Amino acid sequence: MRIIQITDTHLSPLKPHFNRNWQPLVAWIEEQKPDLIIHTGDVSVDGADIEADLEFCRSCLDELSAPTLVLPGNHDIGHLPESHQPANSERLARWNRHFGADRWAQEHGGWTLIGLNSLIIGSGEAAEEEQFEWLEGELANSSGKPVAVFAHKPLFVDSPDEGDSGYWGIRPAARQRLYDLFAAHNVKLHASGHLHRAWSCDGVGFNCIWAPAAAFIVGPMERDLPGDRILGAAIHDLGETVQSEIVHLEELTPYVIDDVVHEVYPKHTGDGQPVAAEASQ
């Protein structure tokens, strides 16, 4: 089974700075003839506050000919409670209207595929616990079959046992809870986006992939992160094992968010988060 993972497209009818990368991406996907496409979030520029962005992105994804599963990113539904756009019930309902559930589990080719809403993990709110209980049930139902997990945010940024990386990765207590569940239920892959970097690792008991963004790269306005500053996608071939490939797509224009951040993501106030961090990811 071949899965194409795309992420961080940042599409918008109102701020079309990165829209030109969509059609080349679609053309490449069609050439690959995937069995399934998974978009791991930040579909939109600002669907968290602008419904027109979500409507536009839904119409874009409808152009894809293969079955497509979608997960929310922070620019689609918001983030943790202290952020300037918390992932509240109103934002989640708006996402659900256009894209369906913010988490899902499906069986494909002898594998269990699970999509998580990573924006509520570490929030300490009821929605987080509900998702954990749902995840435990879905993993139990996998009955030992290999599992691939998809999410917007990576589990960690610099080190598997790092402290709280805040905006970037999953908070330590929630991360350890995921590690324990994954170890108990034959999870073979965790694939994410969010960082606008391409990177892979297999040193935590399962493969970790950060798929490259499709919209833009981040220049020196942010701290350096692991991985490569490229645009592209990831291919996951699931069989007896998982084989993942990060693909650099030269067809995509390497826009740099630093050059247009003042237009695309104007400065906000209220949560103490550096503007670049919220804007670039």
Side-chain angles (χ1 to χ4, degrees):
M1 177 179 185
R2 170 157 289 195
I3 298 173
I4 298 291
Q5 179 193 355
I6 59 175
T7 195
D8 297 86
T9 47
H10 293 267
L11 301 168
S12 171
L14 306 174
K15 296 181 178 181
H17 294 64
F18 316 114
N19 289 359
R20 282 186 223 171
N21 276 342
W22 178 245
Q23 288 304 324
L25 180 63
V26 170
W28 176 81
I29 292 171
E30 295 300 304
E31 291 174 357
Q32 306 310 305
K33 303 188 185 314
D35 299 298
L36 182 67
I37 302 163
I38 297 179
H39 194 312
T40 48
D42 279 359
V43 184
S44 67
V45 167
D46 193 15
D49 276 345
I50 300 173
E51 188 153 7
D53 271 23
L54 296 183
E55 293 172 348
F56 177 76
C57 292
R58 177 71 268 173
S59 68
C60 289
L61 291 178
D62 287 342
E63 298 173 18
L64 299 169
S65 62
T68 303
L69 297 172
V70 193
L71 290 167
N74 49 295
H75 285 287
D76 305 318
I77 63 166
H79 203 181
L80 294 170
E82 64 270 21
S83 72
H84 81 291
Q85 292 174 312
N88 57 27
S89 59
E90 178 183 353
R91 292 188 169 103
L92 285 170
R94 196 155 56 226
W95 170 269
N96 296 155
R97 283 199 299 274
H98 295 284
F99 295 100
D102 58 307
R103 64 181 186 237
W104 39 257
Q106 295 192 6
E107 301 295 320
H108 288 275
W111 283 69
T112 297
L113 307 182
I114 292 179
L116 294 178
N117 177 354
S118 57
L119 289 315
I120 60 173
I121 297 176
S123 68
E125 298 191 343
E128 177 189 14
E129 187 58 33
E130 289 171 7
Q131 180 171 244
F132 264 114
E133 291 176 1
W134 170 87
L135 175 60
E136 291 171 2
E138 294 297 337
L139 288 172
N141 290 337
S142 68
S143 303
K145 292 190 293 291
V147 179
V149 178
F150 295 84
H152 182 61
K153 291 178 66 175
L155 294 166
F156 60 89
V157 179
D158 296 303
S159 170
D161 59 355
E162 67 193 9
D164 189 349
S165 58
Y167 173 84
W168 305 100
I170 300 298
R171 288 175 169 167
R175 185 198 314 134
Q176 187 60 54
R177 189 172 177 183
L178 289 171
Y179 284 164
D180 293 344
L181 283 170
F182 292 174
H185 292 286
N186 203 22
V187 171
K188 299 296 187 183
L189 171 69
H190 185 279
S192 58
H194 186 53
L195 299 183
H196 290 244
R197 294 295 187 102
W199 182 84
S200 64
C201 154
D202 60 2
V204 290
F206 49 88
N207 294 347
C208 286
I209 297 288
W210 302 350
F216 58 78
I217 59 175
V218 183
M221 77 178 199
E222 265 309 336
R223 79 168 178 94
D224 200 21
L225 295 168
D228 297 321
R229 287 188 177 100
I230 60 172
L231 296 186
I235 300 173
H236 306 288
D237 288 313
L238 306 184
E240 293 185 3
T241 61
V242 55
Q243 300 292 327
S244 297
E245 177 187 1
I246 291 170
V247 182
H248 177 200
L249 295 178
E250 295 185 357
E251 302 95 322
L252 305 184
T253 302
Y255 299 109
V256 180
I257 189 61
D258 310 39
D259 299 337
V260 293
V261 66
H262 60 290
E263 300 172 6
V264 182
Y265 294 113
K267 184 175 181 179
H268 62 79
T269 59
D271 66 358
Q273 176 67 45
V275 173
E278 286 280 2
S280 65
Q281 310 304 326

